[in-house]
Amino acid sequence: MDDPTQLKDEGNKHFQAGEIDKAIECYTNAIKVCKDKKLLAVIYRNRSACFLKKESYSNAASDATKAIDVDAADIKALYRRCQALEKLGKLDMAFKDVQRCATLEPKNKTFLDTLRRLGAEIQAKLKTTFSTDSRVQNMFDILFDEEMDKDKKEKAANNLIVLSREDAGAERIFQNNGVPLLLNMIETGKPEMILAAVRTLSGMCTGHKARAMAIINMVGVDKICSIMALNNEEIALATSNLFQCINDSLTGADTREYGKEAALVLDAAKDLKTILLALLEMTANKNVSGYGRDQALNLLSKNVPRSNKKDPDHSRTLFTIDHGLKKILKVCGQVPELPDQLPLTENSQLIASVLLNKLYDDLKCDPERNNFRDICDQYIKSKIDPKDMDKTLHAINTISGLLQGPFDVGNALVGHQGIMEMMVALCGSDREVDQMVAVEALIHSSTKMSRASFIITNGVSLLKDIYKKTTNEKIKIRALVGLCKLGSAGGDDYSLRQFAEGSTEKLAKQCRKWLCNPKIDAKTRKWAIEGLAYLTNDADVKDDFVEDELALKAMFELAKSTDKTIIYAVACTLVNCTNSYEKKEILPELVQLAKFSKQHVPEQHPKDKKDFIDKRVKRLLKAGVTSALAVMVKADSSILTDQTKEMLSRVFLALTADPKDRGTIVAQGGGKALIPLALEGTDAGKAKASHALAKIAAASNPAIAFPGERVYEVVRPLVSLIHTDKEGVMNYEALRGLTNFAAFSEKLRAKIVKEKALPEIENLMFEENEKIRLAATECMCNLVACKEVQERYMEDGNDKLKLLVLLCGEDDDKIQIAAAGALAMITAAQKKLCTKLTLVTVQWLEILQRLCLHTNPYIQHRGIVIVFNMLDSDNSELAKKLIESELLEILSVIGKAEDNPKRQEPIDAARACLVKAMDLGLIKPFSSPA
């Protein structure tokens, strides 16, 4: 179709039918072929109206402007542009447009009302701006007043931070000499002043590229780094957040339209490169505190590797490897027990290992990986010095760091001539630190059994020797962990036990003993959990462990400590104890075939059966596992890897299996902890966490389980589970959770609709599985109270209403209750649907009569209410048709029945229908005999 007038008319029809996307398509095609300027202006004006409906205000304003360019007095285009500009926050420009409208049509009430309203809003905004200026100055005066009391200063600092988080407030602080004043606050050296200044700067930089670039140049990257380098955890974290806000604003989080200013703020590459180099410099700088180093590594970990592997640009990773890989390796190689080491926290070296792993994973081809390995190889060789044992220890510890990160790189280095021999020699050293570093390296090098051939051959005898001979508890426990690791190679396969009967239990008992000993330092006790993480593959060990409440509580206390390197081991142990790991289903036919061909057949331990697992879950809950998990979820993002998150999600899902336990889990913070797990991580991890959330959402009061605004964050994870590609049990639990939410509030119903749940729920209403079909219908029954859902039922060209009517004719009572309930509610809210109901299927009257004759009073009541709604729908023809059918006789019989508490609702509804029919003059009152 090439006729612009015809395309325009087609677009108008779609617009009137509410089919906005189709209307836009028609108008766009018309614009492409239209040569007549006046017609083109009309089409642009019409498309502007579509964009207003779609809330695409920039496009609406643009199209209206094109129409005005042709005819400056186009009153419709002027008013549409006014509406769009108001939504974009450009009140002064919107005011000018409506002023022109009012000049052209001075008696138009809409224009005059809008003019008054916008005038009042502009005055209020000006008043706020002027008062904000004085408030900003007042806050700084309070903060710099030495005699002002502490509470007032604290309040002023908090007000400043809150103000900076609003765009208008941030701009007022910036314009009122705010940055130099904030620098003065930092120069006081007082932690609370530094913290307030840094947080205010973060607010000012958020989502505003131009302001972020100005602040970088005024404050200086080196200055920000020096603040992050302070030995104060809170300040380091706040400064890290400032860097993150700057990075986000400079890399595209800023969605503002700058127009002519764009050229001034467009190129941020130089600033981003400066920040990257400064952070790399911090990682190996002796003057940086452990907290500052951790945050520098975290920022690199979060912002350097690509978040999406489909993105072709990984230049930041290559730049980091070339300019900073050796610096990161230096952090991995630190041995805190030796003199002259970098300041570290308990978590620094693991964060560095995670960063190395992310960098290596981000590489695309073999030459890039070879370059990575070569740099690591050169670094290790440069540190190995037979005459300087401390340097050699640094090299071995660096290999340990690589084994915890990119294992392949570390494993290749272990295989180099002389490295393993050196580790063995260090095990026999007289110095405790030599033995500790060497044993830890041996443990890490046995991570992947298939690739650690030397360890399998020589490891057990070597570690047994160290374990027996050493009197040092620290060395003893590490040697034991190595034995545990090698002993767990068979996983949970009962027939592949590495050690003699009872040996695994003895090792586990010793681990539990060390774990419960408060005299041993936390770092050493951590290794006991590492041992249990491997040994709990054995069902006897996990059963004994959960019976030991003291050991469980000791593990949970360590999990809550500042040393977050323990989280992975705790997560592994809990996954093993709850049997929530991925199990491959073994077909009986294959087992028989394997036995026949004398192949190995995995065997399940008797204590890995369901009743034993359930008992273990109850024990864990009693010991306080939920509160420990809630703390673990809050750990630093670099340490809490996607793999660890998945394991925590698996544990949560196992814990929520019994509905009776869900209240306890919510009370201990489980609901809140599950939300971030459901939103970020591996696909499997997010699905497991969402499933656990669905179980809680289905059985809890949303206001208690997810207080405040948090409940709205739960909707998206639940909606993600109702896709048809997810397992049936996930569909079912998620639908039950959404049903509960939809009954709670209008705002929650609107959120469910906004997350595009309706098409998925409708798909599941066709599901063959009766439970899922029922859950979907019940969910829709609660959702029809939402105005937006009702409007979708009103639209032409879909079978939504037909599906509800047909479901009322199902044989299942519960499905009939849900479907008839939805029809009763929706026909009461939208009278037009009463007429539409009669057009969707010829069976409508038969289905309605069946509902009214049903023996179940709940179904009967809903059917009669639908009849009442149809009588009350202002469609006299429909009302007449209903009364002329057998429905009159059915209603008369029910209405004349004696009052009955068990069936009172349908009786009252039938009487209301008869009264309505009398009011409409369709029947005459019946007189009772004298």
Side-chain angles (χ1 to χ4, degrees), residues 762-794:
E762 282 160 0
N763 281 341
L764 294 173
M765 286 166 76
F766 287 103
E767 179 64 45
E768 285 179 22
N769 183 298
E770 278 196 13
K771 279 190 168 184
I772 293 174
R773 193 160 78 249
L774 169 63
T777 311
E778 286 176 340
C779 188
M780 189 57 78
C781 178
N782 287 350
L783 281 172
V784 293
C786 176
K787 201 165 189 324
E788 198 175 332
V789 177
Q790 293 166 14
E791 284 169 3
R792 295 197 187 190
Y793 273 87
M794 301 269 285

Side-chain angles (χ1 to χ4, degrees), residues 15 43 61 87 198 249 274 324 334 363 456 462 485 621 624 652 658 710 723 732 746 893:
F15 183 81
I43 299 167
K87 291 290 184 184
V198 170
S249 293
T274 306
Q334 298 299 297
L363 298 175
I456 294 167
L462 180 66
K485 202 166 184 179
L621 284 165
F652 264 123
D658 187 344
R710 199 172 292 132
H723 295 294
Y732 176 69
E746 177 61 24
V893 171

